């Protein structure tokens, strides 16, 4: 493998995947010698079809500000964001000019003046761990989401190079072949570490055959400390309680602190650091502005297309174009300081990288077969020592984290956040609770006490999130002790 001929020796790959932020939203304005500054194309008109309509330029957010309305990121929303209208994507018309128009349609009648929020970006001071690691290691400046669609299909590409022919969230249990299956067949260890309810639990092999490989984040830090971290680790942040996934409108602050904690744990263990590749990326752009048009892509299955019905008509998508660009940083002792890779990656590159690093035979589908391997960015000729980030964030960031925690004392969904609970659930959060109900049913488990565990439930007020999360963890996550006892690669005593 050409990427590892530099001398790099990779024995452990860790992937930390956040939620719903674009490259320009988090890294596009970073003071970095290898990243071109945004000088052109960073303006959207209120109406892309009217040259005289109000222009909105990119701007830095103040302090820990974040959008107050979740931006659109359905396939129809993304088509509008890319070309200013819909419903059919026209490759020759992609101008990245419809973000303001699409966000305006999402805003309430009394909030239209907030439309410029979608063009905002976070400064290095607001995401200090990400900024420092981006400057110290390798930024992938052309990493795109795998499909112009929502969270589920994009996360599925990271595991299977395939979204089951979907561009939208479809809650069910999937029997698709995933990279975890290939690792297991090759005798390589792997674990999915979950902040609360992981979307990866939609795969039957994870919840049936390999249930002991689905565990909590506390186990990650213990595995690192004990030197029992598996060959491949996939980390899902918290999506429901004390959210650190960075999904709007949850602040980026908690997610940045999670990145700091994960990096510091790995960097502190020399035997792990010396042969590590940590890939940090985001599942999709979440509706935020980005200036780079997504390129063409190889469909995972030739001839497959998704039918999409919108308010303006019905169209199809053939999985022949990537989604919007997302941030991505590759951290390794074999990464040159301040490097930037302009190779095209998407989430199927994670699958390709696992196959390459661990010398697995074959591939899953056509997309991951032709994808670029992330190992290609590890061009350093000498092993580097880790940089020191420190254990705590900047005092202003720490104060904001404390304030957020104080405001989330309740864990019951309310019709209005002002009622003392947490705000109504977004579509992704609802899908995870639906997934829990389907897993309970699949495994013949009774519904937890209360009316709020019904399959297909709506994000109604009164849902006790804490009970739902704890019930999922008790039923569907393995304890670390159970996993160590069941995995032959780890000591049993």
């Amino acid at each position: 493998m050409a990427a590892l001929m530099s001398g790099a020796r990779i024995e452990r790959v860790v992937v930390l995947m956040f939620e719903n932020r674009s490259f320009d939203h988090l890294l596009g304005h970073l003071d970095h010698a290898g990243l071109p500054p945004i000088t052109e194309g960073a303006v959207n008109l209120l109406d892309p079809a009217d040259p005289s309509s109000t222009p909105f330029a990119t701007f830095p957010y103040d302090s820990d500000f974040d959008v107050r309305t979740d931006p659109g990121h359905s396939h129809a929303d993304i088509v509008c964001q890319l070309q200013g209208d819909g419903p059919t994507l026209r490759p020759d018309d992609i101008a990245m000019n419809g973000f303001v128009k699409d966000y305006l349609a999402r805003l309430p009648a009394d909030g239209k003046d907030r439309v410029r929020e979608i063009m905002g970006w976070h400064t290095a001071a607001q995401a200090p761990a990400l900024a420092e690691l981006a400057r110290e290691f390798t930024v992938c400046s052309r990493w795109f989401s795998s499909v112009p669609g929502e969270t589920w299909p994009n996360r599925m590409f990271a595991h299977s190079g395939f979204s089951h022919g979907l561009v939208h969230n479809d809650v069910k249990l999937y029997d698709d072949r995933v990279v975890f299956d290939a690792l297991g067949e090759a005798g390589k260890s792997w674990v999915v570490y979950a902040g609360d309810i992981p979307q990866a639990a939609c795969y039957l092999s994870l919840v049936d055959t390999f249930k002991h490989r689905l565990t909590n984040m506390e186990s990650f830090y213990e595995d690192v400390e004990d030197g029992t971290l598996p060959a491949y680790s996939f980390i899902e942040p918290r999506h429901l309680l004390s959210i650190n996934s960075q999904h709007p409108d949850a602040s980026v602050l908690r997610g940045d602190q999670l990145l700091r904690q994960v990096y510091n744990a790995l960097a502190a263990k020399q035997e792990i650091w010396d042969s590590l590749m940590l890939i940090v990326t985001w599942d999709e752009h979440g509706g935020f502005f980005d200036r780079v048009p997504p390129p063409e892509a190889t469909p995972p299955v030739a001839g497959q297309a998704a039918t999409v019905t919108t308010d303006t008509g019905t169209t199809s998508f053939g999985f022949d174009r990537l989604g919007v660009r997302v941030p991505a940083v590759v951290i390794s002792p074999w990464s040159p300081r301040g490097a930037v890779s302009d190779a095209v990656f998407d989430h199927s590159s994670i699958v390709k990288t696992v196959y390459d690093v661990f010398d697995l035979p074959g591939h899953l589908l056509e997309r991951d077969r032709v994808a670029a391997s992330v190992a290609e960015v590890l061009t350093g000729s000498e092993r580097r020592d880790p940089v020191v980030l420190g254990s705590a964030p900047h005092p202003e960031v720490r104060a904001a984290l404390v304030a957020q925690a104080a405001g989330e004392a309740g864990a019951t969904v309310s019709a209005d956040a002002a009622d003392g609970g947490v705000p109504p659930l977004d579509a992704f959060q609802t899908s995870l609770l639906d997934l829990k109900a389907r897993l309970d049913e699949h495994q013949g488990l009774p519904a937890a006490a209360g009316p709020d565990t019904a399959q297909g439930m709506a994000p109604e007020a009164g849902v006790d999130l804490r009970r739902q999360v704890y019930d999922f963890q008790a039923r569907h996550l393995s304890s670390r002790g159970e996993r160590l006892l069941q995995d032959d690669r780890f000591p049993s005593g």
Side-chain angles (χ1 to χ4, degrees):
M1 183 166 41
L4 300 184
M5 290 176 62
S6 63
R9 177 174 60 88
I10 301 301
E11 295 179 354
R12 288 182 172 93
V13 176
V14 179
V15 175
L16 171 56
M17 181 173 278
F18 289 105
E19 283 279 312
N20 293 36
R21 305 283 170 167
S22 74
F23 185 94
D24 279 342
H25 180 71
L26 286 182
L27 288 177
H29 297 260
L30 184 67
D31 182 11
H32 188 298
L35 292 175
I38 295 181
T39 56
E40 298 179 359
V43 174
N44 267 199
L45 298 177
L46 188 63
D47 180 359
D50 181 4
S52 65
S53 66
T54 306
F56 292 89
T58 59
F59 70 98
Y61 290 144
D62 293 329
S63 185
D64 62 338
F65 172 84
D66 202 10
V67 294
R68 286 163 281 178
T69 297
D70 187 14
H73 42 278
S74 70
H75 182 75
D77 286 306
I78 297 169
V79 169
C80 179
Q81 292 159 11
L82 296 183
Q83 64 190 30
D85 61 13
T88 302
L89 185 62
R90 304 183 302 274
D92 293 340
D93 294 332
I94 295 177
M96 313 302 285
N97 62 354
F99 291 87
V100 168
K101 177 183 177 180
D102 189 72
Y103 191 52
L104 181 68
R106 304 272 300 182
L107 295 173
D110 60 353
K112 300 298 186 182
D113 59 331
R114 296 193 278 110
V115 70
R116 73 188 294 259
E117 292 175 353
I118 202 62
M119 301 294 289
W121 48 273
H122 287 282
T123 68
Q126 293 157 14
L130 175 63
E132 187 167 357
L133 291 172
R135 293 187 183 112
E136 284 290 337
F137 297 99
T138 300
V139 174
C140 297
S141 64
R142 290 179 61 80
W143 189 303
F144 297 83
S145 51
S146 292
V147 59
E150 297 174 291
T151 287
W152 277 59
N154 276 297
R155 284 185 172 270
M156 292 168 76
F157 262 94
H159 304 310
S160 67
F162 179 56
S163 65
H164 207 80
L166 300 168
V167 295
H168 63 280
N169 298 344
D170 189 3
V171 184
K172 60 183 180 182
L173 301 180
Y174 294 87
D175 60 1
D176 299 330
R177 180 173 170 79
V178 289
V179 69
F180 309 111
D181 298 317
L183 285 163
E185 291 164 3
K188 302 294 183 180
S189 58
W190 59 267
V191 173
V192 173
Y193 296 97
D196 45 37
I197 300 179
Q199 185 275 335
C202 72
Y203 290 108
L204 285 170
S205 63
L206 269 68
V207 297
D208 288 343
T209 309
F210 299 114
K211 179 181 178 181
H212 63 287
R213 303 281 186 88
L214 197 60
T215 189
N216 56 35
M217 271 304 295
E218 289 75 12
S219 297
F220 170 78
Y221 298 108
E222 294 174 353
D223 287 347
V224 173
E225 178 63 26
D226 291 350
T228 55
L229 191 72
Y232 180 56
S233 304
F234 189 90
I235 298 174
E236 283 206 37
R238 294 192 301 265
H239 302 299
L240 293 160
L241 293 177
S242 300
I243 302 165
N244 59 11
S245 68
Q246 299 190 332
H247 190 297
D249 60 351
S251 172
V252 301
L253 297 174
R254 276 204 179 116
D256 196 69
Q257 181 65 354
L258 173 62
L259 172 57
R260 179 186 301 274
Q261 292 167 338
V262 167
Y263 169 80
N264 280 342
L266 294 166
K269 195 71 174 179
Q270 190 72 42
E271 65 187 80
I272 290 177
W273 171 259
D274 284 347
S275 58
L276 172 73
M277 179 193 301
L278 169 61
I279 301 171
V280 183
T281 190
W282 281 249
D283 63 351
E284 39 115 339
H285 76 301
F288 290 102
F289 170 78
D290 193 80
R291 75 194 120 145
V292 177
E296 294 180 350
T298 299
V301 178
Q304 187 176 63
T307 299
V308 185
T309 301
T310 71
D311 293 338
T312 56
T314 299
T315 186
S316 65
F317 176 71
F319 299 93
D320 52 359
R321 188 161 297 273
L322 298 178
V324 180
R325 191 172 60 148
V326 294
V329 178
V330 180
I331 299 161
S332 173
W334 302 100
S335 168
R337 177 174 285 107
V340 174
S341 171
D342 61 1
V344 173
F345 297 103
D346 78 292
H347 302 328
S348 63
S349 293
I350 294 173
V351 176
K352 178 61 170 286
T353 302
V354 171
Y355 267 78
D356 278 4
V357 168
F358 300 115
D359 197 25
L360 305 181
H363 58 278
L364 293 179
L365 292 167
E366 192 65 13
R367 173 74 70 86
D368 64 277
R369 185 187 72 81
V370 303
S373 172
V374 184
E376 295 171 5
V377 310
L378 302 184
T379 58
S381 57
E382 296 183 359
R383 183 189 292 114
R384 295 175 51 196
D385 291 330
V387 298
V388 178
L389 286 185
S391 60
H394 186 278
E396 291 182 7
V397 175
R398 185 166 61 247
L401 290 169
V402 171
Q404 284 182 8
E408 293 182 359
T412 300
V413 175
S414 60
D416 190 315
D419 293 342
V422 298
L425 305 179
D426 59 43
F428 176 51
Q429 291 172 317
T430 303
S431 76
L432 294 178
L433 295 181
D434 195 348
L435 174 60
K436 175 195 179 300
R438 291 171 185 266
L439 286 171
D440 289 345
E441 180 181 21
H442 169 72
Q443 297 187 347
L445 299 171
D452 54 335
T453 57
Q455 181 173 312
M457 56 178 249
E460 298 171 349
V463 175
D464 187 338
L465 288 182
R466 194 175 303 278
R467 187 183 72 200
Q468 292 293 314
V469 169
Y470 290 173
D471 186 65
F472 176 91
Q473 293 175 331
R475 292 179 169 188
H476 303 294
L477 294 186
S478 173
S479 72
R480 181 171 183 268
E482 290 171 337
R483 177 171 55 76
L484 295 180
L485 286 171
Q486 293 184 53
D487 199 315
D488 292 337
R489 291 185 62 82
F490 295 133
S492 58

